[in-house]
Amino acid sequence: MKQRALFSAVLIGGLALTGCGSASEPGSSSSTGGSTDKLVVWDWKSGEENAAGYFEQAKADFAEKHPDVTVEFVAQPFDQYYTLLGTAIQAGEGPDVVMFNGGGQIRDRVDALLVLDDYVADDRERLAGWEAFSKDGEVFAAPLTLQGHPIYYNKALYEEAGLDPDNPPSTWEDFVAGCESIKTKTGAACIGLGNKEGYGIEFFLSAMGSAVLTPEEYDAWIAGDRDWSAPHVKQIFELWQTAGDTGLNNEGANSTAMFNDSFAIFQAGEAANIIGLMSDIGHWKDFNEFLEPDNVGVMPAPVVNQEATPSLPYDGGIGYAVMNWTPNPDLAADLVRSLTSSEALEAFYADAGAIVSDTTIDVSGAGPAVATIVGELQNGKQALHVALSSQTLDLMHRLSQQLLSGSVTVDDAVEQLAASDEAG
């Protein structure tokens, strides 16, 4: 975890999960590469207004080095992104450069990607988050952002409920007791949750995991030694189910979209707490605009087991990779380097509030929530859900909805997840 020691108290980075822009079908003239004087990029960010400055800087950096090469960005819809990419991989042709989420989504597809170690050697110390884009000691994408799952809370609602907004609850028991006060005195839900897509369980597992697992159990999970039947692992899923059963979540969590309905609930003051992101959506900058920076707090996960040591879960968020079919890998890799240049990433942070991977960018003026997140990065650990395969995460999404509805037991859920994890 060498990269984690690089951060000072003013350096951070993040991820977005949603995208916009028109999609092109794999194989169309506007979606495939195959030319030595043109590169095609697929992502889900290039159509977003708050990322325009970032792409302008990246394009300018690349054009200065390669003025005769055309670069076309094709913004695909995120909900279809990996299906479209899978079709291209099966066909063995498509874009030259592609965006990936860190973790299982890229690790499951490394056979179609170019190993980038030799190309990005000069960027290794400047950028953080490489672990999420690596497999078996090789790097397959360069990180743009870091992604983590802080627990945000509304200080104004805490104060209205008679709680100390500067000292959030440090244990689960105190957290639940505070929830009762919040509900009684403010009418707000305790936790804002959108689990229509099943993403909520990923956030909960990673945000609460370090408050339940011992440090040894946590590290073993990340290393691949996962005992799904262990009491503390089962306890995380029991907490997830209990939070729903006891009314800690907003009503209709399974029918509420995470992006962006659940975040809107928090921003509107209708929920006092939410597990959010460090990135350019569902994050500190969005919340600051609605709640005012001084009212946006960040708390460590409330301790469930006394042997646990809460830590901020974070990894590389999104990054760019090179497909192994590109006719000019050197050129495509150089474009990846432009997409992770300091100038481009600084624009991404400034315009979108993204917590970027570049450890040289100063974000000390971003407000108290960011200052808290930065302070936790030094001791942060990889997120638990990022260690899982995309197939196991898909199963977890479905089971999380069934746990909230009461149609599956925790024992059955972890048994199914164990089988999927072993098969993956």
Side-chain angles (χ1 to χ4, degrees):
M1 304 289 285
K2 177 181 177 183
Q3 286 288 349
R4 295 179 186 271
L6 293 174
F7 287 97
S8 69
V10 294
L11 304 174
I12 59 178
L15 148 77
L17 290 175
T18 59
C20 61
S22 60
S24 297
E25 293 300 324
S28 71
S29 61
S30 62
S31 66
T32 58
S35 171
T36 57
D37 59 0
K38 178 180 179 179
L39 294 173
V40 174
V41 183
W42 279 11
D43 58 31
W44 59 88
K45 298 298 300 175
S46 54
E48 297 184 3
E49 184 177 352
N50 65 1
Y54 159 71
F55 285 103
E56 288 176 7
Q57 289 289 341
K59 290 175 184 177
D61 183 85
F62 185 75
E64 185 175 351
K65 295 180 290 186
H66 305 285
D68 298 326
V69 178
T70 300
V71 179
E72 179 185 2
F73 286 85
V74 181
Q76 305 283 11
F78 183 77
D79 60 354
Q80 302 175 38
Y81 185 78
Y82 288 107
T83 300
L84 294 171
L85 184 57
T87 301
I89 290 173
Q90 284 186 331
E93 61 179 9
D96 302 280
V97 175
V98 295
M99 176 176 279
F100 274 102
N101 294 112
Q105 295 290 9
I106 188 168
R107 292 183 185 128
D108 290 350
R109 297 169 172 87
V110 296
D111 289 346
L113 304 179
L114 185 72
V115 177
L116 295 182
D117 292 80
D118 292 341
Y119 296 102
V120 299
D122 292 340
D123 301 323
R124 292 303 295 267
E125 292 301 312
R126 178 175 59 87
L127 304 179
W130 295 98
E131 298 100 324
F133 300 101
S134 302
K135 183 175 182 180
D136 298 330
E138 294 180 316
V139 171
F140 292 91
L144 274 67
T145 65
L146 302 181
Q147 183 58 290
H149 301 281
I151 302 176
Y152 294 94
Y153 68 101
N154 185 330
K155 290 187 176 183
L157 284 178
Y158 267 58
E159 188 169 12
E160 185 180 344
L163 306 173
D164 185 348
D166 296 321
N167 291 288
S170 59
T171 68
W172 183 256
E173 291 81 2
D174 289 344
F175 179 79
V176 172
C179 288
E180 288 297 321
S181 298
I182 289 166
K183 184 175 182 179
T184 300
K185 296 183 179 180
T186 75
C190 183
I191 302 171
L193 175 63
N195 199 50
K196 184 177 182 179
E197 314 90 336
Y199 296 145
I201 190 63
E202 295 184 14
F203 287 38
F204 190 87
L205 171 64
S206 288
M208 288 300 302
S210 65
V212 181
L213 304 180
T214 67
E216 293 75 19
E217 289 171 330
Y218 196 107
D219 293 344
W221 177 289
I222 297 298
D225 183 13
R226 291 182 280 274
D227 181 0
W228 290 88
S229 64
H232 289 164
V233 173
K234 291 173 62 175
Q235 191 171 19
I236 297 172
F237 292 90
E238 290 166 354
L239 284 176
W240 167 262
Q241 189 173 56
T242 299
D245 291 345
T246 58
L248 297 186
N249 304 326
N250 53 267
E251 293 184 4
N254 266 349
S255 59
T256 301
M258 174 174 285
F259 300 98
N260 289 312
D261 293 350
S262 65
F263 300 128
I265 291 171
F266 180 71
Q267 290 166 178
E270 297 172 0
N273 307 277
I274 194 164
I275 301 172
L277 298 168
M278 287 163 45
S279 63
D280 59 326
I281 193 169
H283 70 327
W284 61 274
K285 189 169 184 178
D286 283 347
F287 301 153
N288 284 357
E289 291 175 2
F290 284 87
L291 302 177
E292 302 297 333
D294 289 343
N295 285 330
V296 180
V298 175
M299 72 170 76
V303 173
V304 179
N305 294 317
Q306 291 303 313
E307 295 180 353
T309 304
S311 59
L312 176 69
Y314 80 95
D315 287 272
I318 51 175
Y320 279 105
V322 176
M323 304 307 296
N324 59 15
W325 57 62
T326 182
N328 198 330
D330 293 347
L331 200 62
D334 217 19
L335 177 57
V336 168
R337 296 198 66 204
S338 291
L339 288 162
T340 54
S341 66
S342 290
E343 294 78 11
L345 294 180
E346 187 164 11
F348 201 18
Y349 158 69
D351 295 344
I355 305 301
V356 292
S357 59
D358 193 322
T359 62
T360 67
I361 294 174
D362 181 359
V363 297
S364 57
V370 172
T372 302
I373 293 171
V374 169
E376 295 180 8
L377 285 174
Q378 288 275 9
N379 298 316
K381 291 189 174 184
Q382 289 179 265
L384 295 176
H385 78 273
V386 176
L388 303 176
S389 70
S390 57
Q391 290 85 353
T392 299
L393 288 176
D394 286 343
L395 174 61
M396 188 183 294
H397 296 164
R398 296 191 295 274
L399 290 171
S400 72
Q401 295 169 328
Q402 294 169 15
L403 285 168
L404 288 183
S405 68
S407 59
V408 71
T409 66
V410 170
D411 285 341
D412 188 25
V414 295
E415 183 177 348
Q416 291 185 53
L417 290 166
S420 175
D421 193 21
E422 183 177 354

